[in-house]
């Protein structure tokens, strides 16, 4: 995966930091142009200095584009010819149109005069660069972990803002002139923007409307209505679904809660049970954001899935004593075998006399170990494990284990357990030792059952 | 799960009832402030007494917040230092801003005068408390079984209402003054609210609109349009989907009915069969609200799932004679084994001569027991069970059993049945006795088949 | 399922035809009242005769309601006391309010005068009956196979229509009076309705708007905007999703086609294969409306599912010679075993030399039976069956069978086949005979392969 | 599938190219009529020539329709009687109405005069042909691979456009005449269209509105608002969902990315792992457009599914040396057995010492073959295969194979492999030879491990 970079001849690697910054700057510059150029085209009394700077920076962009290596299937290509060919197929022509001072000849011809209608139109040519903004943004979208929905929301708002600004700028030129109103540039623009927003938002007070004897004003207004109202309606229609998607996990959880509510209401579940169900889901949301990520995990390729599992469960693994000594290969294997379960307060995790086919690791919460008469043998906390006794000796469970509060538990079945012990003899050894230790401890407890040991 | 409460030093448990009531009162107070403060800011001739009361109550809220124990991972913390630290990270600063009478110095300086523009603005500072309303509501949302969709609908309506009120209050101050209209406060506010609603709902009559020579009026109107119309559009867009979700079970059922209708139409199912299908779904809706709750049940942890099952099926269990005598552990186990089925009128549940692999419990409806020539042996009603004969003796079914009307039936398969008898010898005993009884009864019936016994 | 009807004392069975017609008439009458009563309240110069008739008919409705047997869990109850009790819990009070001529005392008091504002308001009281319209409609919705989406669409339109009518009627009373406009009732109402629609649809020309010096007009307008615009927005938002659901099968098919299109485009599937895929889906739509009804079928109870299957496949069953002679029990069983398949033109259904594990029934289309050198043995049409030879003798397929066009084929696997032959000896016999016949025919063909027999 | 065409008597095959062109022309003509006829009806001073031409062409359409063979279940029917019968059931009556010059008698009666209101109305009769446009379009929709969503979008836009045009044309006739405005036809139409768009888009400036003393203008405006606003709202509501469906694969991928983002955020996955996950999905999108096409593939009938698989995987097949020599039947079979997998850079595909149960074909990317001490034996590129050694000899893997970059790999399990070797002896032979070759090569490499062979 190492790429040989040739930075001679000022060639730039496509993932170079300078290039990132330049592209970010270009995005800002294009947005600035989208706002300033229409204003110049409408209000400028002279060739604006900023316009010259913008055109110059767009010119620089062409040069930089010609120095960037091309990404191919087999890595990167540093040949100038290849770069030029790839650029010509891409944004070369719009880049050239944006970077050339088309207004220069006209301005030189009629110098000392206020720019005419054609010059003003030529001011707008660099706006073609706006076509490239999606191309620039792609780079950032890929490498950032920003919520894609928020990116789309911002795009929508910027889009509506720019279109409103353009329509307003056009209205300044084309719209009717009312007497008795302030005629400074700012007031004229504000009134045009006001007309535009009143129209786009379909409020339509009617205090500013085209002169009905001027067909070009009528046509411009119709065009604004069709474009503006269409985009506005589309954006409003989208915003609802976009906002709903900003936190998909929350939205899914809300939908599930609605189903649960409907279930409770239709089945007339009594309040006591209903409250337990709601508590359970609130616990699920607070600790696991609604759980049920198995779908996401299953979609990932195995190596990534293990990596994520290891990260998520590293706390439980670090807590269980005989896991900490095992090597990473073993940890990876055991993690894929663990099955997460949730127990409610007062739930029996293990019942005395049952035939056990699994052991448990307590990831969160605490449990009581009890005898058949309800006497408390011990209280186990996070990181404890239990149920392994019958698993090893093939006996029935010899105690009750009851959740004291909400417990996150991982279950390891006998099949997986036997498989792991067979595969990893050192793990087998450790299990045997721990069991012996535990036996000794239980023996002591059975002798003085009145004093339950709290082991947290 | 018992928590040691220390109510010395007037410390309050976070789940204390008084705290609940106080928080409910604060929600009401904040909403009241959101309505009254802007009106004071616009119309007040003096420092309003109510404003002083509001600020005082907000001040009390700070003290109460400082007395509430902090919820931590390991229970509750009653240390004042810890509470203060947790409060400082949370809403301490907005609470302080809301609880201080910022207008006091200004009011003292210019006493006996009507409050100036700055004082009026300072009146609005307690509104910062509105940020905390979500925090207060969270408590109630968790513990109530109110439909979350209705909560969201109410939130939307309150939000739109408050924004409309604020925009209208601002318009009273900033809007144009038309001559010849009543100038009392109420009329001025009503006209401003009318302008606001006309604008937000995008009706835009244009009878009230900004004075085009006043840029600040134009800008305020643009701001109102963007904010108000955006929120209005968003709310309308949401209301449709919210209303659709108020009863998810009904909505899902409607969707299924549309599929059924489409199926019937496209396949040209004849009217007679179509009517049967529609009847079946109507029955399903009326008795089980569309059925198919298995998804919800499967998501619940096992202990909750059993609890809900026991609640839902307690009637069937109470009806079957030999279940009522069994202990709860047995009942729990059998409930998880039962499989619900629905039979249509005239459907054969059991056919004579078939090899039986299950028995049935009749939960609702009634069935006819018939011989091979259609002679009626018996009619069984709710709580009856049948089909157990061949199950026990390994013979073929010796009668036809036909549903008289829609029947809700629970099926218990031979595997589950044998498992249960093996596990629970007293159940086994009871089954044997009941079968003997039934045999005797059948014998009698076969002797006089003309008089079918109706057993309901 | 037969109910003993007691039609003495003029008691009516709830599913009586006369009751159906009466309820239908009441729906029409309530809708008529919703339109006419507001008009009377606004324009009437006298007590309108129609109002008296409406009230009288509503009075009759009470009597009829008191004669209808009550539906209970155990059938129908014909006790008058029980009916009265059930009615009192239901719509008795609104029915009484609607059926009493409240305006009578007022009208008698001020007779010979034009009805006053109170009388006019009392005219509206029968409108309370509109609450019962949902109750009436429920009966029809259940028993009709009308698309529930269309019913909801009509409900929405009627709802918006009635609200617009009511708001307009109110505006006639309360709205401003402009001079110089025609003052006849019709013109007044038309202008009010025009104002209402202009407002509800948010167009808001502003040519009719409240007199800003009249607070009650402003408040009425605000109320109209909030109610009308809210409902309008809600309806428009719903109509799109309702229209999408009118034909769910079509909508699902469209969505699948979009996925197919996306698949073809993204994978750059060449045109030739893409055309085949699209042809296949068009065939699927035309013959089976998109197929994939297995979900609907699985949801139905078994007896209904078999009934539908028998209806859908009765043609194939009637076509296959040895099925027609079998009894219904056999037909039911075989239908549940058949698996539908579609073959494209030129597809091989059976290949010579393969080991066969199933036979096929040709439901639609035609196939060629070919030898290993491509010589045509026979062409089989609808109702033909093939592939049974190897199935019976345990040999390899001895011919190629190729679809000539799109073929709907049902597959019967060896397991199901053997099971059926074992269960039904007469079927076994028939199969053996048919095979012998076929052998003889094939022998003849092999002797003169130049003349393929076309058997349609 | 060959149809005998009888083109005598000028009968036309329904899939004839000329017919296609004619139908395309008719679509264009109908759309042109929809625009021009209302204009004629409003502005024409005389019988327009174009109208005569349109009617004549519609007349031709009837003749052509009478010459087109009818598609039946059993192919095509060329009987004139049958064609006529089928046509009479279809569009014969609307076609006749559209094709007759109804205005002729009226025009002849009052010749030399401007057409009266009745004549003008008769001008509109050919518009009935618009009913048939769906019928014409069906043909093209079926045979083209244009995105159905784009077709629906265009239909919506054309529909709204035509309705706006018709409403505007009506307004020219019926609307109020304002003095002082240009009265030429173009200006009149532009103002009417402006009124129409202002109304439909709910902007409603109010500069053009009905004369309130003219009830027919008010009613026309109400009708326009209900129709126009309804359709506009419906279209805007649909456009959002339509645009979302233009690229279903992209939309599904976006939704999945939102879930991934939500997962990363809620689980607080560290940046390093999160970046890996995002990279993986970006790779998935770029190479396979989001993968997971198995659903589409499963829905296709087997023969089509194989054809698509062969197309998609033909590159991998062409690359693997011993596949190229195999015949198509073998290729088809092996393709159905291959299971696609993706490995991330640095992932181990094969670990030394593991017991292998599958072999791999490298479709894209490159892998390193390494010894137990990390020494590089070889680097394999696209088209390479590995892991077959242990598969054949039942030994453990004797090397590590690690992905150098993202690798698209196809896995062939031992079961499928053994099955294929048993079925295809020549394939078996080829495998044995290739293994021998590889052994020899490995031997060489082990002798000089310092010089890893790069085989691309």
């Amino acid at each position: 995966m190492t790429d040989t970079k040739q930075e001679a001849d000022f060639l730039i690697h496509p993932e170079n930091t300078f290039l990132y910054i330049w592209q970010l700057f270009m995005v800002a510059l294009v947005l600035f142009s989208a706002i300033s150029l229409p204003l110049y085209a409408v209000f400028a009394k002279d060739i604006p200095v900023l316009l010259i700077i913008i055109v110059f920076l767009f010119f620089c962009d062409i040069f930089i584009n010609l120095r960037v290596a091309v990404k191919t299937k087999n890595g990167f290509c540093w040949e100038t010819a290849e770069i030029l060919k790839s650029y010509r197929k891409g944004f070369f022509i719009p880049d050239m149109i944006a970077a050339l001072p088309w207004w220069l000849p006209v301005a030189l011809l009629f110098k000392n005069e206020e720019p005419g209608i054609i010059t003003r139109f030529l001011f707008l040519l660099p706006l073609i660069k706006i076509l490239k903004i999606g191309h620039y943004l792609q780079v950032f979208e890929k490498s950032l972990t920003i919520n894609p929905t928020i990116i789309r929301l911002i795009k929508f708002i910027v889009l509506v803002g720019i279109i409103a600004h353009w329509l307003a700028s056009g209205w300044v030129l084309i719209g009717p002139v009312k007497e008795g109103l302030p005629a400074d540039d700012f007031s004229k623009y504000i009134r045009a923007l006001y007309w535009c927003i009143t129209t786009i938002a379909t409020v339509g007070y009617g205090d500013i409307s085209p002169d009905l004897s001027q067909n070009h004003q009528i046509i411009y207004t119709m065009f604004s209505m069709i474009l503006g109202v269409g985009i506005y309606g589309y954006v409003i229609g989208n915003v609802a679904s976009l906002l709903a998607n900003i936190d998909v996990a929350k939205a899914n959880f809300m939908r599930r809660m609605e189903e649960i509510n409907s279930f409770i209401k239709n089945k007339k579940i009594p309040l006591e049970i209903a409250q337990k169900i709601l508590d359970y889901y609130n616990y699920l949301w607070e600790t696991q954001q609604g759980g049920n990520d198995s779908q996401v995990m299953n979609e990932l390729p195995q190596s990534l899935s293990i990596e994520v599992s290891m990260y998520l469960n590293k706390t439980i693994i670090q807590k269980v004593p005989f896991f900490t000594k095992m090597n990473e290969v073993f940890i990876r294997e055991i993690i894929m075998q663990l099955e997460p379960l949730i127990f409610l307060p007062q739930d029996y995790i293990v019942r005395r006399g049952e035939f056990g086919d699994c052991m448990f690791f307590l990831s969160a919460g605490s449990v009581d170990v009890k005898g058949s008469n309800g006497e408390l043998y011990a209280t186990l906390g996070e990181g404890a494990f239990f149920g392994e006794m019958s698993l090893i000796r093939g006996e029935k469970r010899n105690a009750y284990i009851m959740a004291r509060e909400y417990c996150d538990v991982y279950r390891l079945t006998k099949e997986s357990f036997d498989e792991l012990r067979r595969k990893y003899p050192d793990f087998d050894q450790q299990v045997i030792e721990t069991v012996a230790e535990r036996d000794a401890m239980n023996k002591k407890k059975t002798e003085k059952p009145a004093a339950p040991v709290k082991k947290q």
Side-chain angles (χ1 to χ4, degrees), chain A residues 21-146:
Chain A
I21 293 167
W22 175 259
Q23 286 175 338
L24 207 57
F25 173 69
M26 288 311 289
V27 171
L29 189 66
V30 170
L31 288 180
F32 176 75
S33 310
I35 292 164
S36 63
L37 294 190
L39 290 177
Y40 288 142
V42 171
F43 292 117
K45 305 270 179 297
D46 211 334
I47 303 294
V49 180
L50 256 165
L51 178 61
I52 298 167
I53 297 173
I54 288 169
V55 167
F56 172 72
L57 287 167
F58 283 172
F59 205 75
C60 296
D61 189 45
I62 296 180
F63 273 96
I64 287 171
N65 274 310
L66 285 171
R67 297 285 90 190
V68 178
V70 174
K71 204 172 184 178
T72 66
K73 256 208 134 179
N74 309 312
F76 296 99
C77 174
W78 302 89
E79 306 290 320
T80 312
E82 199 59 41
I83 293 171
L84 197 65
K85 198 177 138 200
S86 149
Y87 191 20
R88 261 215 307 268
K89 278 190 204 156
F91 285 96
F92 182 70
I93 290 164
D95 274 6
M96 279 309 284
I97 294 173
L100 290 183
W102 302 90
W103 32 264
L104 204 65
V106 188
L108 289 176
L109 217 67
F110 307 94
K111 60 182 164 190
N112 297 330
E113 278 177 45
E114 207 174 287
I117 190 77
I118 295 165
T119 323
R120 289 175 184 283
F121 174 75
L122 292 176
F123 284 1
L124 297 174
L125 277 182
L127 286 182
I128 202 171
K129 199 90 175 184
I130 218 160
L131 293 173
K132 214 181 165 180
I133 211 162
H135 173 79
Y136 288 134
L137 287 174
Q138 231 172 6
V139 180
F140 302 101
E141 280 169 24
K142 239 185 256 178
S143 58
L144 291 171
T145 56
I146 295 174

Side-chain angles (χ1 to χ4, degrees), chain A residues 249-267:
Chain A
K250 181 84 190 173
N252 288 344
F253 183 73
M254 287 298 293
R255 215 166 303 133
R256 232 198 295 177
M257 286 311 280
E258 274 160 7
E259 268 166 30
I260 299 293
N261 252 284
S262 178
F263 174 80
I264 287 170
K265 205 189 75 190
N266 285 330
K267 297 294 183 191

Side-chain angles (χ1 to χ4, degrees), chain A residues 11 213 328:
Chain A
L11 280 171
S213 61
E328 207 203 350

Side-chain angles (χ1 to χ4, degrees), chain A residues 221-402:
Chain A
T221 308
M222 286 197 284
F223 167 77
S224 299
M225 282 193 282
I226 292 168
L227 178 69
V229 174
I231 281 175
Y232 172 81
Y234 173 62
V235 167
I236 288 287
N238 262 287
V239 162
S241 70
L242 281 180
L243 289 181
N245 284 332
I246 278 187
D247 191 343
V248 184
K250 181 84 190 173
N252 288 344
F253 183 73
M254 287 298 293
R255 215 166 303 133
R256 232 198 295 177
M257 286 311 280
E258 274 160 7
E259 268 166 30
I260 299 293
N261 252 284
S262 178
F263 174 80
I264 287 170
K265 205 189 75 190
N266 285 330
K267 297 294 183 191
K268 299 180 190 62
I269 304 286
L271 198 65
E272 189 202 8
I273 301 177
Q275 194 58 56
K276 271 194 196 174
I277 294 176
L278 293 181
D279 281 354
Y280 167 70
Y281 277 101
N282 279 321
Y283 176 79
L284 212 64
W285 175 247
E286 275 165 28
T287 58
Q288 301 177 27
Q289 275 69 43
N292 199 14
D293 301 311
S294 53
Q295 201 206 335
V296 171
M297 293 295 280
N298 286 341
E299 271 186 354
L300 292 178
Q302 210 195 3
S303 65
L304 257 180
S305 171
I306 291 176
E307 200 162 347
V308 172
S309 285
M310 284 206 55
Y311 170 76
L312 292 178
N313 299 323
K314 64 168 189 261
T315 48
I316 163 82
I317 292 155
Q318 287 166 350
K319 281 171 193 157
V320 177
F322 54 69
F323 279 0
T324 47
K325 295 178 202 159
M326 301 304 298
N327 64 359
E328 207 203 350
V329 176
F330 175 80
I331 298 289
R332 277 169 181 268
E333 194 144 349
I334 206 165
I335 276 176
M336 302 309 282
Q337 308 291 342
L338 296 177
E339 180 197 354
L341 287 174
I342 291 176
F343 286 91
L344 273 62
Q346 261 64 269
D347 273 6
Y348 283 101
I349 301 172
V350 159
R351 279 168 205 268
R352 191 183 151 101
E354 279 183 350
F355 182 79
D357 61 345
C358 55
M359 70 176 291
F360 298 92
F361 300 95
L362 191 55
S363 161
S366 59
V367 298
D368 282 338
V369 184
K370 287 182 175 175
S372 51
N373 303 318
E375 68 273 22
L376 189 67
Y377 289 162
T379 296
L380 307 176
E382 287 182 29
F385 60 98
F386 48 84
E388 76 292 351
M389 304 300 282
S390 5
L391 205 57
I392 294 159
R393 297 198 196 129
E395 293 170 357
K396 289 186 171 183
R397 306 282 194 205
N398 59 9
Y400 289 95
I401 294 184
M402 196 180 78

Side-chain angles (χ1 to χ4, degrees), chain A residues 434-447:
Chain A
T434 318
V435 167
E437 220 171 89
R438 178 80 65 104
D439 274 352
M441 196 186 301
N442 279 350
K443 213 177 168 185
K444 261 192 285 177
K445 262 174 231 151
T446 328
E447 282 159 7

